[in-house]
Amino acid sequence: MVKRILLLSLFLVATTLALKAQNVVTGTVVDRDGNPIPGAKVEIVGSTESTITELDGTFSIATESPAEKVRVLYGGMQTKVKKVKPDMVIKLRETTWWNRKPEKMSWFVGVQAAFPDSEHIKPSFGVMVGQVKNWGWYVKGVYSKVPSTDDPSIVDYNTNGWFTGEMKQSYWNATAGVIARLGCPIHFYAGVGYSQRNVAWQRADGSYANYELDEYEGLAVDLGLMLKVNRFFVNGGVVLNKADDGDYRCCVGNVGIGIFF
């Protein structure tokens, strides 16, 4: 009886070892020119099993269970995940500022300038703040001050010639939205917010009367692109504001520069 148990145990151990031996992942790691990469780490995704490539770039990993994917890591190269195939060849590319993938959510902040489509309006300035990895969020606002007044009416004064003809205008806008990385350092952002444009007419006594223009007051749509270069970025886009007929064609160009941290 004891002999049978021992024989059965040996059979089970041999069977287990044979099954393990069948789950072997092999391949070769090379650079973009086909040269072997020795010393690269190859690990089974979803387990702790791993190995290091030989001088000729080859590797072999015996796994306890069938492997579906492997991850290859090497300093100065992009980490690559590939589906397991017999004797596969895994090609790594050098890491550059263009193809480097973000490792975590990063904050960014930058200064912004807006340029409404009017020769009378000076640029408005503000900030853009957000957080992004592959997806994220942002808030942005610009503002330029217009002279204040306690009398917003301009029609009667203008009819009676009480204005000098000098006019000052301002614009402010605040938007918030989402930002997405387009597989490279270029990001696309889109948001909605509120805009308002004011006009200030100079009276004969030197004071100003404000007048709000309806075509730039209300809901605004913000669209733009951001380019990240290492820790710095530049962005540009347009804010579409409501026109008198309800269409969003009153454009305000905006540009900015900032830093990731």
Side-chain angles (χ1 to χ4, degrees):
M1 185 66 180
V2 174
K3 185 176 181 181
R4 290 181 178 179
I5 294 175
L6 290 174
L7 290 175
L8 181 60
S9 299
L10 290 174
F11 175 77
L12 291 174
V13 170
T15 302
T16 302
L17 292 175
L19 290 174
K20 286 184 178 180
Q22 292 176 356
N23 298 315
V24 179
V25 180
T26 60
T28 306
V29 179
V30 299
D31 61 20
R32 62 186 306 174
D33 297 321
N35 301 312
I37 300 178
K41 182 179 181 181
V42 183
E43 56 186 27
I44 304 298
V45 176
S47 77
T48 58
E49 298 167 316
S50 64
T51 188
I52 301 298
T53 56
E54 303 293 339
L55 291 177
D56 59 357
T58 60
F59 67 88
S60 177
I61 309 176
T63 64
E64 295 183 1
S65 58
E68 296 184 357
K69 295 180 180 180
V70 295
R71 181 184 294 109
V72 184
L73 305 95
Y74 189 74
M77 298 286 191
Q78 284 187 289
T79 298
K80 191 166 188 178
V81 177
K82 189 170 183 179
K83 188 176 181 180
V84 171
K85 296 180 180 179
D87 297 322
M88 56 187 167
V89 176
I90 303 174
K91 185 176 293 186
L92 300 184
R93 296 177 58 190
E94 293 183 357
T95 300
T96 65
W97 70 272
W98 181 261
N99 61 31
R100 184 181 295 113
K101 295 182 179 180
E103 298 178 355
K104 62 179 182 178
M105 291 285 285
S106 298
W107 287 90
F108 62 88
V109 60
V111 294
Q112 301 290 306
F115 303 90
D117 55 350
S118 172
E119 61 182 5
H120 302 291
I121 306 179
K122 296 181 179 179
S124 300
F125 297 97
V127 296
M128 181 178 186
V129 179
Q131 194 178 29
V132 66
K133 184 180 178 182
N134 293 315
W135 288 89
W137 59 270
Y138 78 95
V139 293
K140 178 159 65 77
V142 295
Y143 174 74
S144 60
K145 187 177 181 181
V146 69
S148 61
T149 179
D150 55 3
D151 186 357
S153 174
I154 68 169
V155 179
D156 292 339
Y157 287 113
N158 197 29
T159 302
N160 290 282
W162 289 13
F163 280 91
T164 65
E166 182 179 346
M167 180 177 61
K168 293 185 178 180
Q169 302 189 52
S170 70
Y171 172 83
W172 71 266
N173 166 262
T175 56
V178 296
I179 181 169
R181 183 176 182 271
L182 303 180
C184 61
I186 299 177
H187 298 68
F188 171 76
Y189 61 87
V192 294
Y194 193 89
S195 295
Q196 187 178 71
R197 174 184 173 188
N198 292 327
V199 176
W201 298 83
Q202 187 182 50
R203 300 188 183 95
D205 61 3
S207 63
Y208 286 87
N210 286 354
Y211 180 64
E212 297 179 359
L213 299 179
D214 293 337
E215 68 265 26
Y216 275 88
E217 182 177 4
L219 183 66
V221 178
D222 185 25
L223 301 171
L225 294 174
M226 172 190 291
L227 172 64
K228 179 184 178 185
V229 183
N230 295 322
R231 293 184 58 193
F232 302 94
F233 74 84
V234 293
N235 72 282
V238 295
V239 175
L240 304 177
N241 301 274
K242 184 181 67 174
D244 289 337
D245 58 6
D247 290 339
Y248 286 85
R249 63 172 182 269
C250 296
C251 297
V252 177
N254 59 91
V255 297
I257 186 171
I259 187 171
F260 276 79
F261 58 94

